[in-house]
Amino acid sequence: WQPMTAESGAGAAAVLEEALLPNGEAQAPIVGLWRWIWTVVLWWAIFAIGVALAMLGPTLQEVGEQLRVSVTVAGSLFTWRASGYLVGAVWCGDVLHRMPNAAAVFLAPLLVASLGVYSLPWCSEYPVACFIFFFQGLPMGMLDTGGNVLMLALWRGSPYQNGFEHAFHFFFGLGAALAPEI
């Protein structure tokens, strides 16, 4: 193990860019209307993830009653979802590298996360709820990690790149802050 220096950091950035871009070739950034459509969709998706992640806390007692377990046991659902989130975040890099269509990579996880949120009110068994929360966290991690990478790629070369990335994180926080009020 060696500490990171300016020289090794630059090399790491080159390796990361080569891993993210097909054949290691720099691609022209997306411009115009499509850039804005992708940006708004990513903002909306991360807002929804913020809402979905923050909803469990205020409803934990009701979820425990529905599953016929104590609040302490129901609290382990946070761990199940976080485990799925971790797996999805790590897996997303490989999926984005192998799939040529980023839209398909993001559409499928959005649908899976939506199904997870939709199915929870009808779940009455704790093991099934653990399964649902793990597989709800998986696409959330993919969307979070992949969304960050995609947002940076969309606005690469723009003087406003940092602002759009910060707005991406703002919408996550806004969704999480509004969730208890919904």
Side-chain angles (χ1 to χ4, degrees), residues 80-167:
W80 284 100
R81 184 169 56 197
S83 299
Y85 203 96
L86 175 65
V87 171
V90 171
W91 187 41
C92 184
D94 186 51
V95 172
L96 280 175
H97 184 67
R98 294 175 188 270
M99 294 286 292
N101 186 351
V105 172
F106 290 111
L107 177 63
L110 270 174
L111 293 175
V112 171
S114 300
L115 289 173
V117 171
Y118 179 76
S119 63
L120 189 60
W122 289 278
C123 178
S124 61
E125 298 298 323
Y126 176 73
V128 175
C130 293
F131 178 82
I132 289 171
F133 272 89
F134 180 85
F135 282 99
Q136 183 187 36
L138 189 80
M140 288 178 172
M142 289 180 68
L143 288 167
D144 188 9
T145 304
N148 277 292
V149 171
L150 186 57
M151 188 64 72
L152 289 171
L154 284 171
W155 294 97
R156 182 183 21 190
S158 169
Y160 306 110
Q161 180 183 31
N162 288 340
F164 285 101
E165 186 71 18
H166 291 305

Side-chain angles (χ1 to χ4, degrees), residues 48-69:
I49 289 174
V51 169
L53 283 174
M55 282 297 231
L56 182 58
T59 61
L60 193 58
Q61 187 165 352
E62 288 84 5
V63 170
E65 290 170 6
Q66 178 181 330
L67 299 175
R68 297 178 304 278
V69 296

